[in-house]
Amino acid sequence: MNGMVIQLLGSAVAVAAMVALAAWARIPRPTPPLDAEAVRRLLAIDYPDNLLEDIWIAADGAGAIVRSGPRALVLSRLGDSWVTRDIAWEAALAAPIRGGRVRLKLADPSAPRLSLAVSGVNPWPPQGDLELAA
Amino acid sequence: MTLDPIKPAFDPVTWAIPVFVITIVGEIILGRLGKVKANYEARDTATSLLMGLGSTIAGALLAGSIALVSIWIWENHRLLDIPMTAWWAWLAIFFLEDATYYWFHRIAHERRFWWASHVNHHSSQHYNLATALRQTWTGGVAGTWLLWLPLALIGFPPAMIAIQKGISLVYQYWIHTEAIRRMPRWFEAVFNTPSHHRVHHARNARYLDANYAGILIIWDRMFGTFIPEDEAEPPRYGLVKNLGDFNILRVAFHEWIGIGKDLMSARSPRDVIGYLFGPPGWSPDGSRETSATLKARWRERQAAAEADPAPPMAAE
Ligand SMILES: [Zn+2]
Ligand SMILES: [Zn+2]
């Protein structure tokens, strides 16, 4: 038993050291802030057959919500990678904003919540385009 | 020379742990120096390594009872007496264990109940040596270990089976890297390699459900699941629907929770069986994506692109 505890502690220290090294190395994939072009390219991977209508990009450039007919395609950065999901457009419009982020609830245990940064100049839902809210 | 047929003389995985640490450090440093292709993201790395650590704990909790079943079968019902010291016995178990692994791995991808346990190994969007250690916590519960019992029934000593399983796991470690592009041609023909296993970890529709090999790629070639890596289409790693965060509990349990939720909504025995043992993504009305539907749509797009070489979506 003692041996196992020591082994576990040793492994935990090794894990911490490797994670620290990975952080120090700074070799993630580059993820510059999104622009419309990048949003289209990234969403085309998971939604190749969808027509992308209105593109809204999060205030920090780390996510996007795009209308595609009755659906909202959501793109969200996780570390140096991307996560996509789609929800009803109405549900996306109705999503609450807390702590400067629009909080999207998904009925999916693999990604129950995604949140994207909003700001005064970049509010959600997008303003000034009444068509969007219709 | 004598070898204990019950208690393994050594555990290949335990012996390999220092090698794991040294090679991960090496891959990160070489990646940092730009000598090899290697991407690490600290939180992703932490998740992979903690899953590995957790799996050794989960494994240890169940290993005893699982070993007892194997020992009981071997002691009471074995068909042959296979000496652990014979070279041919090791040669035989090398092939038989590897074939067992192929079928385990194929079921683990093609049937949701077993996918729920194996999915975590594929949940990283990275492909590096740390990803190799992203191992399941729920394999014992999923019961995939049952597939190795026939080896004990044939008469292979339980310790021998355990050692060979360990050797296979250690072999599969080094192939989780982008640092190696291709091994020599003869090696790629026979063995599982970084290139073959990159395809296995890819979420590109064309690469789904391929290359289930453990050590030898010959099983995929034999049973029609081999897909070579195409230089023109680099693999994108992870799940068809990637996880929304780095929470290790989500990594370990999300698909089990999904199964539970689906079962609550099941309205017939057919639904129950489909949700449990259908392909991942199965739904009563077919509204969700499965590998088969994703591949079919990819093929349609390919055909359309060939018919009309310049539509806007031709590249994907
Ligand atoms: Zn797999
Ligand atoms: Zn793997």
Side-chain angles (χ1 to χ4, degrees), chain B residues 228-250:
Chain B
E229 184 180 30
D230 183 344
E231 298 285 342
E233 185 166 341
R236 294 182 295 270
Y237 306 107
L239 304 172
V240 164
K241 291 193 164 203
N242 279 310
L243 301 186
D245 56 36
F246 291 114
N247 183 338
I248 55 169
L249 296 177
R250 176 145 10 262

Side-chain angles (χ1 to χ4, degrees), chain B residues 208-291:
Chain B
L208 292 175
D209 286 358
N211 301 2
Y212 298 119
I215 298 177
L216 299 170
I217 197 70
I218 58 171
W219 313 111
D220 286 284
R221 296 185 190 274
M222 266 163 69
F223 298 120
T225 48
F226 176 69
I227 298 180
E229 184 180 30
D230 183 344
E231 298 285 342
E233 185 166 341
R236 294 182 295 270
Y237 306 107
L239 304 172
V240 164
K241 291 193 164 203
N242 279 310
L243 301 186
D245 56 36
F246 291 114
N247 183 338
I248 55 169
L249 296 177
R250 176 145 10 262
V251 173
F253 300 115
H254 73 273
E255 191 66 19
W256 293 109
I257 295 168
I259 290 178
K261 275 182 74 176
D262 285 339
L263 289 180
M264 306 266 260
S265 74
R267 272 173 301 179
S268 70
R270 175 184 171 269
D271 287 8
V272 171
I273 291 175
Y275 280 137
L276 275 172
F277 303 114
W282 182 91
S283 55
D285 60 357
S287 60
R288 299 183 196 167
E289 317 256 39
T290 65
S291 291

Side-chain angles (χ1 to χ4, degrees), chain B residues 181-182 195 198 207 229-234:
Chain B
R181 278 166 65 82
R182 286 282 201 285
S195 173
R198 284 195 288 268
Y207 290 146
E229 184 180 30
D230 183 344
E231 298 285 342
E233 185 166 341

